[in-house]
Amino acid sequence: MRKKFHGLKKTRIRQSWHKYNLYNLGRQKPQNINRSFFQQKWRAKSLTRAYHGEQIREKQWQRMFRPHMSSVVPMDHVYLAANDGSEQAAGRGSGADKDPSDPNNKPKRIPRTPYTNMVYAPIERRLDTAIFRALFASSTRQARQFVVHGSVKVNGKKMIYPGYLLNPGDMFQVEPERVLFATGAGKNKEERRAGRVLARKATPAKEEDADEAHETTAVTASEEGSGNPSNVPSAPKDPKVMLKGLLAQARNVLSDSSENLPAKRKQDLRAFQQTVKRTLARSPHSTPTTITDCLDAELQELTSKLTLVDRKPTQQQEPPENDELPDADKKALQAALREVRENPIDSTKPYATPWRPRDYMSAFAFIPRFLEVNQNICSAVYLRHPVARPGLGEVPTPFSNETNQLAFNWYLRRR
């Protein structure tokens, strides 16, 4: 990568969400008409190639370039619904011609079709570019890194080639953790410090677990050799088993004290059960013990609050007139269930938690028409190839029609 990818001295617009890129977008200047035609074409080519397919070699792009650009001409649906086409076959002078002086018979003005905005349409088929367009990465280079590292699947199969050309109907999917890291805000100093503290605490615990496991294997081997079995320390529990135990405890609490619980507490317990179920649905290797510890602490806090509710005098069996909790209990409940019901706070993540969008993202948050994106599962479908239609070129570009036309003329003469 270049040393100054986002330069402020020379205005180069990139496929990135960087703040310098947004600043360069705002200070674009029109082409200098005092230059020669060759200079104008070269300048347009240089500007557009810095944005479209910057990660592609020039000769590779020249092989991808096509002088024929796809376009469509939409038909007038009002005319098609009102006529069956017979008046077109009536012929001139037969009385079927419309009066040109009638203001209702004036032809509609159709906007021009920006054909030259489709110069870089073949690049939109590339997998790394499609990932960036679907808002799964903050730049095309980051999308390329995701593909090379094996975090992207195409039609259910892992794809490690960023230059793979998508066909209409192909579905590609990115790992959600990668998308959260790419589109989420970065950590501040306090959050980074908290993550380092947790990492330091986790390192001695891992070493102790490793030592215990080593001692256990040594004792087992000695006992097998001597033939005298004795009490062997139990192995560390599986996180899945711990999670299932937490789920059973939550069900028991909900069933035992369902009559005395207010509706708000029942909702909180059900939300806790759903969180444990989602955690159980993960793979066995992706459920660390820290998650089970956090859930265990939350369940203990919930049960402690429930015991406080049970300890209250129950002489009057009539329900209270006001079921709302006091302000102190509300604040305590919100603090206890913040990780369960809302965006969880996890210092081990490489991005800021609770998750929030990264800065300056809103200016680049748009999805082209030829993609159908589902942000819930971080997947998208490449519907069709981009086309030009009256007044719209479906290839997203920050450059004017004249700049793209000059770039098209540059590559057209080199074919």
Side-chain angles (χ1 to χ4, degrees), residues 127-175:
L127 180 59
D128 52 0
T129 307
I131 291 173
F132 172 73
R133 298 297 188 195
L135 305 181
F136 294 153
S138 61
S139 65
T140 311
R141 285 184 174 270
Q142 191 178 46
R144 182 184 182 90
Q145 185 187 42
F146 289 170
V147 178
V148 172
H149 288 185
S151 302
V152 180
K153 292 182 179 180
V154 178
N155 296 330
K157 297 182 180 179
K158 184 188 293 185
M159 177 59 62
I160 60 173
Y161 303 105
Y164 176 78
L165 298 180
L166 295 171
N167 296 314
D170 285 348
M171 185 182 73
F172 56 92
Q173 186 174 7
V174 187
E175 291 182 2

Side-chain angles (χ1 to χ4, degrees), residues 219-256:
V219 170
T220 306
S222 63
E223 289 175 354
E224 288 179 356
S226 61
N228 297 323
S230 61
N231 294 330
V232 180
S234 61
K237 292 185 178 180
D238 188 8
K240 292 276 186 178
V241 178
M242 297 173 65
L243 287 173
K244 289 180 180 178
L246 291 175
L247 186 60
Q249 291 180 18
R251 287 175 179 170
N252 293 335
V253 171
L254 191 60
S255 60
D256 294 342

Side-chain angles (χ1 to χ4, degrees), residues 46-277:
S46 177
L47 289 175
T48 54
R49 280 286 286 126
Y51 179 82
H52 295 283
E54 182 272 335
Q55 75 279 10
I56 307 173
R57 298 192 305 272
E58 182 66 15
K59 291 202 173 178
Q60 184 180 357
W61 158 242
Q62 289 180 3
R63 291 193 297 268
M64 295 174 63
F65 173 75
R66 295 292 180 270
H68 306 288
M69 291 168 282
S70 302
S71 62
V72 294
V73 180
M75 302 295 291
D76 188 2
H77 61 280
V78 177
Y79 173 81
L80 293 176
N83 303 281
D84 58 354
S86 59
E87 72 282 354
Q88 296 289 340
R92 245 176 166 182
S94 60
D97 294 338
K98 297 180 180 179
D99 187 7
S101 60
D102 189 1
N104 296 327
N105 295 332
K106 289 184 178 180
K108 294 183 179 179
R109 185 177 179 181
I110 301 176
R112 296 178 60 184
T113 304
Y115 293 102
T116 53
N117 283 358
M118 306 295 297
V119 181
Y120 297 99
I123 296 180
E124 301 298 320
R125 291 185 60 188
R126 288 177 57 95
L127 180 59
D128 52 0
T129 307
I131 291 173
F132 172 73
R133 298 297 188 195
L135 305 181
F136 294 153
S138 61
S139 65
T140 311
R141 285 184 174 270
Q142 191 178 46
R144 182 184 182 90
Q145 185 187 42
F146 289 170
V147 178
V148 172
H149 288 185
S151 302
V152 180
K153 292 182 179 180
V154 178
N155 296 330
K157 297 182 180 179
K158 184 188 293 185
M159 177 59 62
I160 60 173
Y161 303 105
Y164 176 78
L165 298 180
L166 295 171
N167 296 314
D170 285 348
M171 185 182 73
F172 56 92
Q173 186 174 7
V174 187
E175 291 182 2
E177 282 296 322
R178 295 279 187 165
V179 178
L180 291 174
F181 169 71
T183 60
K187 289 184 175 181
N188 53 25
K189 291 183 179 180
E190 290 76 10
E191 292 171 339
R192 288 196 295 269
R193 188 180 298 111
R196 288 195 296 268
V197 170
L198 283 178
R200 288 172 192 157
K201 290 182 179 178
T203 303
K206 290 181 180 179
E207 293 178 356
E208 291 178 1
D209 294 342
D211 294 340
E212 290 178 1
H214 182 68
E215 291 176 0
T216 303
T217 53
V219 170
T220 306
S222 63
E223 289 175 354
E224 288 179 356
S226 61
N228 297 323
S230 61
N231 294 330
V232 180
S234 61
K237 292 185 178 180
D238 188 8
K240 292 276 186 178
V241 178
M242 297 173 65
L243 287 173
K244 289 180 180 178
L246 291 175
L247 186 60
Q249 291 180 18
R251 287 175 179 170
N252 293 335
V253 171
L254 191 60
S255 60
D256 294 342
S257 57
S258 59
E259 298 179 357
N260 301 329
L261 282 179
K264 189 69 175 177
R265 298 291 173 87
K266 291 181 181 179
Q267 280 185 343
D268 297 335
L269 277 171
R270 292 192 184 99
F272 179 81
Q273 290 180 0
Q274 292 296 329
T275 304
V276 176
K277 289 179 182 178

Side-chain angles (χ1 to χ4, degrees), residues 306-319:
L306 293 175
T307 54
L308 290 176
V309 173
D310 295 337
R311 288 176 185 174
K312 291 181 180 180
T314 56
Q315 296 178 358
Q316 296 179 357
Q317 299 296 333
E318 297 180 0

Side-chain angles (χ1 to χ4, degrees), residues 2 9 11 84 108 176 192 194 230 237 292 302 354 367 387:
R2 299 178 179 86
K9 186 175 291 186
T11 304
D84 58 354
K108 294 183 179 179
R192 288 196 295 269
S230 61
K237 292 185 178 180
T292 58
L302 271 175
I367 298 175
V387 295

Side-chain angles (χ1 to χ4, degrees), residues 3-20:
K3 291 184 179 179
K4 288 188 177 181
F5 188 67
H6 300 286
L8 296 179
K9 186 175 291 186
K10 290 185 178 180
T11 304
R12 287 287 185 273
I13 302 173
R14 309 289 188 180
Q15 286 187 352
S16 172
W17 297 351
H18 199 272
K19 59 181 179 181
Y20 287 176

